[in-house]
Amino acid sequence: MITVHHLNNSRSQRVLWLLEELNLHYRIQHYQRDPLTLLAPPELKAVHPLGKSPVISDGELTLAESGAIVDYLVDTYGSGRLKPAAGAPEHSDYLFWLHHAEGSLMPPLVMSLVFSRLDRPPVPWLLRPLARKLAAGVRRAYLQPQLDALLSHADRCLARHGWFAGPVFSAADIQMSFPLEAARARGYLNREHPHALDFLRRVHARPAYRAALEKGGPYAYGDD
């Protein structure tokens, strides 16, 4: 039995969705973020030394990192599903978007979230006006241009193919869904990216996505 160590409002939601798409049996071990710091509870360190989510257990295997988990589940249990064959033209696109999600798109989104909290506790109140100006400057000079370029690239891909690895839904779409959801929640993904917005609408209509959301609990993409 596969166990998903599921932290609320975290990337582990994608793992639940992937398991639903593969129609696999699994159980969920729920963990809640600290309401003040939003960090994972120390109990997760008993599962994996980094104490972060997503993490899965499968027999004697404990595996962290979203991309590694997706690769493992698809290769071990997919039976050729949700991944283009190695010799297929779409395979290189699949690899690119599978790793682009965390390697390129999520870092500026995480940085944006960090800077958005510089004017809140525990930052001393005397420093908050300066921190607010610093955050605004970084967003304007670096984060906004970076995210505009990254999201426009994703939108162009979806305009051509419908899904990220060609005309057929794949695990790369599951991996890319989280940063696009986060980008929309934070105002970066908007009407200038119509194909990405349509992608999210189609994702939300998938029965496996809805089943995973029901089992994983309410979700706030803007808080991860």
Side-chain angles (χ1 to χ4, degrees), residues 1 16 57-58 60 65 77 116 134 157 168 171 173 202:
M1 175 68 71
L16 303 181
S57 302
D58 188 13
E60 296 183 357
E65 289 294 341
Y77 298 106
S116 73
L134 173 64
C157 172
V168 178
D173 299 300
R202 288 182 286 125

Side-chain angles (χ1 to χ4, degrees), residues 99-153:
H99 297 286
H100 177 82
E102 293 294 328
S104 294
L105 189 47
M106 276 307 300
L109 287 168
V110 172
M111 189 181 299
S112 171
L113 182 62
V114 171
F115 275 92
S116 73
R117 293 176 175 163
L118 288 181
D119 59 351
R120 308 180 194 176
V123 176
W125 69 272
L126 283 173
L127 296 180
R128 290 177 200 169
L130 178 61
R132 193 177 300 115
K133 290 183 179 180
L134 173 64
V138 171
R139 281 196 295 267
R140 182 174 57 253
Y142 174 72
L143 292 176
Q144 188 71 57
Q146 282 287 309
L147 287 165
D148 283 347
L150 291 165
L151 294 170
S152 294
H153 181 55

Side-chain angles (χ1 to χ4, degrees), residues 3-71:
T3 299
V4 180
H5 300 275
H6 177 55
L7 180 66
N8 67 306
N9 293 337
S10 78
R11 295 163 173 86
S12 59
Q13 187 66 37
R14 286 181 298 193
V15 178
L16 303 181
W17 177 20
L18 174 59
L19 289 165
E20 291 290 333
E21 292 282 359
L22 293 172
N23 197 29
L24 297 176
H25 295 292
Y26 64 95
R27 73 181 189 94
I28 304 174
Q29 179 67 50
H30 288 274
Y31 301 84
Q32 295 295 314
R33 294 179 183 272
D34 183 287
L36 181 61
T37 67
L38 299 181
L39 297 177
E43 289 83 1
L44 264 175
K45 286 192 175 180
V47 181
H48 189 277
L50 292 179
K52 295 184 178 181
S53 183
V55 180
I56 65 166
S57 302
D58 188 13
E60 296 183 357
L61 172 71
T62 298
L63 186 62
E65 289 294 341
S66 299
I69 292 170
V70 169
D71 264 338

Side-chain angles (χ1 to χ4, degrees), residues 200-213:
L200 291 179
R201 283 191 291 270
R202 288 182 286 125
V203 157
H204 295 165
R206 295 184 71 85
Y209 178 93
R210 296 199 300 269
L213 198 60

Side-chain angles (χ1 to χ4, degrees), residues 92-93 96-97 100-101 104-105 145-161 163-164 176 180 189 192-196:
S92 59
D93 285 337
F96 173 81
W97 292 108
H100 177 82
S104 294
L105 189 47
Q146 282 287 309
L147 287 165
D148 283 347
L150 291 165
L151 294 170
S152 294
H153 181 55
D155 195 71
R156 287 192 296 270
C157 172
L158 292 167
R160 292 193 303 270
H161 302 303
W163 299 107
F164 279 104
M176 278 295 296
L180 292 184
L189 187 70
E192 296 180 5
H193 315 101
H195 304 287

